[in-house]
Amino acid sequence: MSEVVPPEDLSSAARLIKEHSGKVLAFTGAGVSAEAGIPTFRGKDGLWNRYRPEELATPRAFESNPKRVWEWYKWRMSIIARAEPTWAHKVMADWERKGVLMGVVTQNVDGLHQRAGSRLVIELHGSIWRTRCTVCGRRFDLGFGNIPEEDLPRCRECGGLLRPDVVWFEEPVPMDQFERAERLFSEAEVILIVGTSGVVMPAALLPINAARQGKILVEVNPEETNLSSLATIRLRGPAGEIFRELARLVEEDLSWR
Ligand code: OAD
């Protein structure tokens, strides 16, 4: 376990999770999958340090060069396809099965929460494992690990150009997903904020509003973030390690239920 995390913070977090069992919600970002080998967006090795989002992740980029955008997405798919869920993904899924965690609201498109066994996963930014037709709007599930072979995949219903069913810059977050997330946040008492820089709107509004409403925020992140000052407890370290330890501490006492 990282020596930087004071053990009393870990036990306070575990105590909160137990006390509020069934009313605990996770809000996750790219950092939860970092230990699985999937690059995050910001920070030293972040994707947006190496690539220009306006050339790869905007509707205009896709219109002007769909092949380049698909190539980049297929490269990311190939990394994700080889990745395994981390301890953080697995513990969240286990806690949901045990009725401790309500579910996960994620900004990630990688599908690792579902692969770990989480059932209630709200994907605010879509899924890299789904395509959408730019002409008829139909959506197609690819299934985890299935990368389209074509340079420019086409809709099997109308022949239109398919795009990754993810949210790009300048695009709105799907309203139905955001409203479902808001409902879950309103029912939750403790929010675990895991591996997100908290700078992308409107997603970051969810924890910000939760803090305004007096909910308890626990942050899991090796770095200080935009949301850190809102958190009651800040667990500084890699999510996988922290969740492994939290699971042990929460489990010790699951017999109390
Ligand atoms: P970011 O890349 O902005 O932030 C990742 C966060 O994870 C940072 O705060 C890191 O400190 C933290 N981190 C790194 N390694 C970690 C580890 N092992 N355990 C825990 N935390 C770790 O990613 P997001 O906040 O998810 O949007 O970014 C939000 C959105 O911006 C993404 O969904 C994507 C991006 O542009 C779209 O594509 C629409």
Side-chain angles (χ1 to χ4, degrees), residues 29-31 35 41-42 48 107 125 167 195-197 200 221-223 239:
E35 286 150 274
F41 295 94
R42 296 170 187 82
W48 297 151
Q107 298 161 88
H125 292 163
V167 175
T196 178
S197 56
V200 172
N221 197 311
E223 311 276 341

Side-chain angles (χ1 to χ4, degrees), residues 28-35 39-43 46-48 53 57 73 76 107-109 125 166-169 194-200 203 220-225 237-240:
T28 66
V32 77
S33 299
E35 286 150 274
T40 61
F41 295 94
R42 296 170 187 82
L47 291 172
W48 297 151
Y73 273 90
R76 286 181 58 202
Q107 298 161 88
N108 297 347
V109 298
H125 292 163
V166 299
V167 175
W168 283 328
F169 288 97
V194 190
T196 178
S197 56
V199 296
V200 172
V220 180
N221 197 311
E223 311 276 341
E224 180 88 12
T225 75

Side-chain angles (χ1 to χ4, degrees), residues 46-62:
L47 291 172
W48 297 151
N49 268 350
R50 289 186 275 154
Y51 301 96
R52 289 158 57 87
E54 56 275 29
E55 286 176 2
L56 298 165
T58 66
R60 241 173 309 150
F62 191 69

Side-chain angles (χ1 to χ4, degrees), residues 146-237:
N146 295 321
I147 305 171
E149 282 170 16
E150 311 87 331
D151 286 349
L152 291 174
R154 295 263 160 198
C155 176
R156 61 171 176 261
E157 299 295 332
C158 78
L161 182 59
L162 293 176
R163 56 164 281 178
D165 194 19
V166 299
V167 175
W168 283 328
F169 288 97
E170 301 161 16
E171 290 186 318
V173 162
M175 191 51 83
D176 55 335
Q177 299 303 306
F178 196 76
E179 285 173 359
R180 281 179 73 203
E182 278 183 321
R183 277 198 294 280
L184 277 177
F185 267 78
S186 72
E187 289 162 22
E189 291 166 1
V190 172
I191 320 286
L192 309 176
I193 304 174
V194 190
T196 178
S197 56
V199 296
V200 172
M201 297 293 171
L205 283 178
L206 293 163
I208 292 170
N209 288 338
R212 281 197 195 121
Q213 289 157 16
K215 313 219 180 237
I216 304 165
L217 271 48
V218 176
E219 181 175 66
V220 180
N221 197 311
E223 311 276 341
E224 180 88 12
T225 75
N226 254 21
L227 304 173
S228 297
S229 62
L230 305 175
T232 308
I233 302 177
R234 292 172 280 268
L235 303 172
R236 292 271 168 261

Side-chain angles (χ1 to χ4, degrees), residues 60-72 151-153 161-162 164:
R60 241 173 309 150
F62 191 69
E63 268 163 41
S64 66
N65 197 340
K67 193 160 170 281
R68 178 170 59 194
V69 173
W70 262 118
E71 262 168 25
W72 191 68
D151 286 349
L152 291 174
L161 182 59
L162 293 176

